[in-house]
Amino acid sequence: MEKKITIQELLFNRGLKKEDKIVLLRHKDNRKTKIIRGVAYNESLYDIYRDNPKLFLEYQAEQAEDKFKGVEYIVSFLGEEGTKSRFLGVYRIVETITNDSFSPFYYKMIEVKGFKYLKERVIIDWGKGTLSWCQGIHNEKEIIEITPGFADAFPGYPNVILKFNRLKEIINEGYPEWKRMLSAVNCIYAILDNKTGKIYVGSTYNRQGIWGRWEVYVKTNGHGNNVSLKEMVESDPKYADNFIFSILHILPINISAEEAIKEEELFKKKLGAISFGFCNN
C-alpha cells in the first residue's frame, strides 16, 4: 500500500521542526453574525478571507479562552465541503494580549515565509473530528488534493453568496470545481440589489443547472433578460456591480419547469419579492 503524504511532512520539509509547539486550526464558522474587534459582520468566512484577508486574521487572533497557551506556530486552514480543509498559511505567535477592549485573549501573529506557493492550494482531509477545530501537530492529516488556487474553491451550496464581479470571474474563467458543482443541480436563487435592498427571486430548470442560467446573467451584463433588471442595467452599464447572487434552495437537475416555478412562487411569497422586490409576477 502506497504511503499517504501528510501536511506534517510538507511543513517539516519547509522549515518547521518537530520539536516546535504547533497547532492546526480549521476555521468553519456557520454563525450568521461574527463579531470581530467589536464590529458585526454577516459575511461568510470564505467571503471575509477573499475580500479582506487582514480582517480574517483578526478573527483568527481573537479567542475567548487561552487556546494557544505555549503555542509557537499556528497552521491555518479554511473548512470546505465535508472534511476538506484548505491550507491558508503558517503564523508565528509573537505576543499574547489579555483582556483588551474586544476579547479576553488576542494573539499577535506574523506570517511565516516559505509557504507562498502552497498557500490556498493544498487541500487536506481533516478527518472525522471536524468539531475539534484546534488540534496538535501530532494528528496526521492527509493531503488529498493540490488545486490551482483559492479561486477554484467551491464553498458548498449554502455558502454561495457572490458579488456580480466575482460571478463573472468564475463563469468567464470556467473554474472547474464551480462549474462541476453548479452544473450538477438546479435551484431557487436570489439576486439582491445592494444599493436599494430590493430582491429578485428566480429558479433554474435546465440540464446545465445553475451554471447554465447564471451564465446568461454574465453574458447579458447582469440582467439575464429579466425586464426590471434590464431597465437598470441598460440605463447604467455598471449597475450590476450592485448585485449579489445567492442560492436559496437546491432542486434536482431533472426537475420540470412547472415544478421549479411552483417552488419559486413559494419563495417569492416568503421574501415579499413581488410586493417589495423586482419580481413582476
Side-chain angles (χ1 to χ4, degrees), residues 221-237:
N221 197 30
H223 62 69
N225 298 315
N226 171 269
V227 175
S228 298
L229 300 182
K230 192 172 184 178
E231 290 176 0
M232 291 184 295
V233 171
E234 289 185 344
S235 63
D236 179 1

Side-chain angles (χ1 to χ4, degrees), residues 75 155 242:
V75 184
N242 296 301

Side-chain angles (χ1 to χ4, degrees), residues 3 43 50 65 100 121 145 153 175 179 212 256 264-265 276:
K3 183 182 177 182
E43 295 92 337
R50 289 303 310 277
E65 302 173 356
D100 73 355
R121 298 185 61 208
E145 191 176 353
Y175 291 144
K179 188 171 185 178
S256 68
E264 177 187 323
E265 293 301 320
F276 305 104

